[in-house]
Amino acid sequence: MPEKGVSEVLARAPLFANLSEGEMAFLVRRAVSRQYKAGEAIFGEGEPCQGLYVVESGRIKVFKMSAGGREQVLAIDGPGASVAELPVFDDGAYPASATAITDARLVFVSKQDFRALCLEHPEVALRVVKIVGGRLRRLVGIIEELSFTTVRHRMAALLLNLAKRSGTKTARGVEFTLPATQQDIAGMIGTVRELVSRNLSRLQAEEIVAVEGRTVVVPDLARLEAELESSE
């Protein structure tokens, strides 16, 4: 990838926003662009950390896998997201796995080069603390959801979040596209695919949502919000 393209990709990531030309040039000379096919592993839990990644295009998922093969999705990330900052600092292995959901291109920055940048520019390390802190808050939220709520509640919460974050108002209501398969959604809300399908079907039968493949229409957001409150 041309240097200009790499710098534009890195600049979209909050981690590297507002770097000086010299700082960005330091990274660009060392960064490597990597292409992944849908379903291809980026790194695996327990593998030695080689560095961090910034998503240029496509979507990836970060997840944990139980000994029994149950998957818990921790994050689904798209362009501009940085991945695997924590093990770059603590010398540990990757704490989770990452796989491309769609064909994806990522920019890789080695652990050694990123550490060298942080030594020269401590404000970058502070950004890592902020990003990791945000992820910790989300993980606490996941634990709370899995411990204290039903699958129906978690399904409604996910749909409401997607509707508000990426929905488009149409004549039918708020319309959006599910960002992943039902299997991936099951991993996101801590259940199995069959229960995702069952709860989507029930919400559709009650006319709270309309589902057409991966397209979801919410006719009345207030009703979906009320459903969320009633299922707590």
Side-chain angles (χ1 to χ4, degrees), residues 14-49:
L15 191 60
F16 300 120
N18 303 317
L19 290 182
S20 69
E21 289 186 10
E23 294 160 0
M24 184 61 75
F26 173 88
L27 282 178
V28 168
R29 287 194 298 269
R30 295 162 174 80
V32 179
S33 181
R34 297 180 176 178
Q35 183 76 37
Y36 296 88
K37 296 291 186 183
E40 186 176 354
I42 300 166
F43 55 79
E45 180 180 352
E47 293 178 358
C49 173

Side-chain angles (χ1 to χ4, degrees), residues 70-73 146 150-152 154-155 182-197 199:
R70 177 92 167 261
E71 182 181 285
Q72 175 63 54
V73 176
L146 294 178
T150 64
V151 172
R152 182 181 174 101
R154 298 197 294 273
M155 189 76 249
Q182 288 193 9
Q183 184 63 52
D184 288 328
I185 290 171
M188 293 169 69
I189 64 174
T191 186
V192 293
R193 185 188 61 77
E194 292 76 12
L195 287 180
V196 169
S197 178
N199 279 276

Side-chain angles (χ1 to χ4, degrees), residues 31-200:
V32 179
S33 181
R34 297 180 176 178
Q35 183 76 37
Y36 296 88
K37 296 291 186 183
E40 186 176 354
I42 300 166
F43 55 79
E45 180 180 352
E47 293 178 358
C49 173
Q50 303 299 321
L52 61 86
Y53 298 81
V54 174
V55 182
E56 176 191 354
S57 62
R59 288 181 293 115
I60 69 169
K61 66 177 177 179
V62 181
F63 63 96
K64 297 276 287 186
M65 187 72 75
S66 73
R70 177 92 167 261
E71 182 181 285
Q72 175 63 54
V73 176
L74 304 178
I76 291 181
D77 290 318
S82 54
V83 184
E85 304 91 349
L86 179 60
V88 166
F89 281 102
D90 71 2
D91 284 324
Y94 288 115
S97 301
T99 298
I101 296 177
T102 64
D103 289 352
R105 183 180 291 275
L106 285 74
V107 173
F108 172 78
V109 178
S110 75
K111 177 167 63 175
Q112 294 77 11
D113 290 334
F114 185 66
R115 283 181 168 182
L117 177 70
C118 290
L119 287 172
E120 288 291 328
H121 307 284
E123 69 276 9
V124 176
L126 290 175
R127 290 178 199 162
V128 173
V129 173
K130 183 176 181 179
I131 289 171
V132 171
R135 289 190 181 144
L136 177 58
R137 289 181 181 277
R138 287 197 295 274
L139 289 176
V140 170
I142 289 174
I143 293 171
E144 183 178 18
E145 287 277 323
L146 294 178
S147 300
F148 304 122
T149 63
T150 64
V151 172
R152 182 181 174 101
H153 179 277
R154 298 197 294 273
M155 189 76 249
L158 176 65
L159 294 175
L160 183 61
N161 179 267
L162 290 170
K164 290 183 174 180
R165 190 178 64 196
S166 59
T168 302
K169 289 185 178 180
T170 69
R172 299 191 297 169
V174 178
E175 186 172 326
F176 61 91
T177 301
L178 292 172
T181 65
Q182 288 193 9
Q183 184 63 52
D184 288 328
I185 290 171
M188 293 169 69
I189 64 174
T191 186
V192 293
R193 185 188 61 77
E194 292 76 12
L195 287 180
V196 169
S197 178
R198 187 181 306 167
N199 279 276
L200 275 176

